[in-house]
Amino acid sequence: MKPDLKWYVVHTYSGHENKVKASLERIVESRDMQELIPEVRVPMEEYVDLKDGQYKKKTRKIFPGYVIVCMDMNDETWYVVRNTKGVTGFVGPGSKPVPLTDEELRNMGIHEETPVLDLSLGDMVSIMEGPFTDSVGAVSSINDDKHTVTVLISMFGRETPVELEYHQIIKL
């Protein structure tokens, strides 16, 4: 029997998001609940910071005070998440957690289905979204763990590597 997995938003004490994620992952593993709560995320984004004339890549939380949990909602999983140290509750009316919609998941960059890619090194692809939309290039590397592909596109007269997610490209 496959569990009915949906994504839920959990409210935490501010600054405790990573602690809640780690605690919840430990509890899930110790109770052997990986099928019921397979993933916990703290949504992050990269940005470039200028300090002392130097540009540095940094990451920050997109939604401070919140953790996103993929789970099969039942009494046991609700209890485990709700009673994790640092959790103040689920987002939803009263005590009824509301799952995120497909549109909300897409807007957050969470894709339910892992796309299957029939690509080989050297294949030509077209970029469907992002800053390089409508560019064409050759696949130079494939990272199945991160679901990304590095594509060499011609920019300013030279080959430039661009890392893209599976859903951003289509094989020609």
Side-chain angles (χ1 to χ4, degrees):
M1 185 173 98
K2 189 171 187 214
D4 185 23
L5 298 174
K6 294 194 180 338
W7 287 90
Y8 295 88
V9 179
V10 176
H11 189 261
T12 67
Y13 294 127
S14 187
H16 286 76
E17 302 87 355
N18 291 325
K19 292 176 191 170
V20 167
K21 179 182 186 296
S23 295
L24 194 50
E25 288 172 342
R26 273 195 311 275
I27 293 167
V28 165
E29 189 173 337
S30 70
R31 292 186 179 205
D32 198 26
M33 298 174 73
Q34 292 91 337
E35 283 191 20
L36 299 174
I37 306 176
E39 192 170 355
V40 181
R41 289 190 187 178
V42 177
M44 305 288 273
E45 68 179 349
E46 280 191 357
Y47 69 101
V48 177
D49 189 28
L50 175 63
K51 188 173 183 180
D52 299 329
Q54 299 258 336
Y55 288 100
K56 292 193 178 188
K57 266 190 182 178
K58 293 187 173 184
T59 59
R60 64 179 161 214
K61 297 174 185 89
I62 299 173
F63 307 110
Y66 295 94
V67 172
I68 314 300
V69 181
C70 180
M71 61 189 284
D72 179 7
M73 183 60 72
N74 61 40
D75 290 342
E76 183 184 13
T77 56
W78 179 89
Y79 181 85
V80 166
V81 173
R82 182 64 186 86
N83 289 292
T84 299
K85 186 176 181 180
V87 171
T88 60
F90 282 94
V91 172
S95 62
K96 175 105 172 72
V98 177
L100 292 170
T101 64
D102 290 340
E103 184 180 353
E104 290 168 330
L105 290 170
R106 273 192 303 280
N107 291 340
M108 294 173 72
I110 299 173
H111 303 280
E112 281 293 320
E113 308 88 34
T114 301
V116 176
L117 218 53
D118 180 28
L119 279 182
S120 303
L121 297 181
D123 284 350
M124 295 301 290
V125 295
S126 177
I127 301 172
M128 304 303 291
E129 66 178 63
F132 302 104
T133 300
D134 296 329
S135 296
V136 175
V139 175
S140 66
S141 70
I142 301 170
N143 185 335
D144 286 326
D145 295 334
K146 288 174 49 181
H147 305 295
T148 60
V149 175
T150 302
V151 177
L152 294 174
I153 61 172
S154 181
M155 193 182 317
F156 307 118
R158 64 169 57 165
E159 297 280 295
T160 304
V162 177
E163 187 176 75
L164 301 160
E165 295 180 11
Y166 286 178
H167 65 88
Q168 293 179 291
I169 60 168
I170 188 165
K171 185 177 177 181
L172 296 177

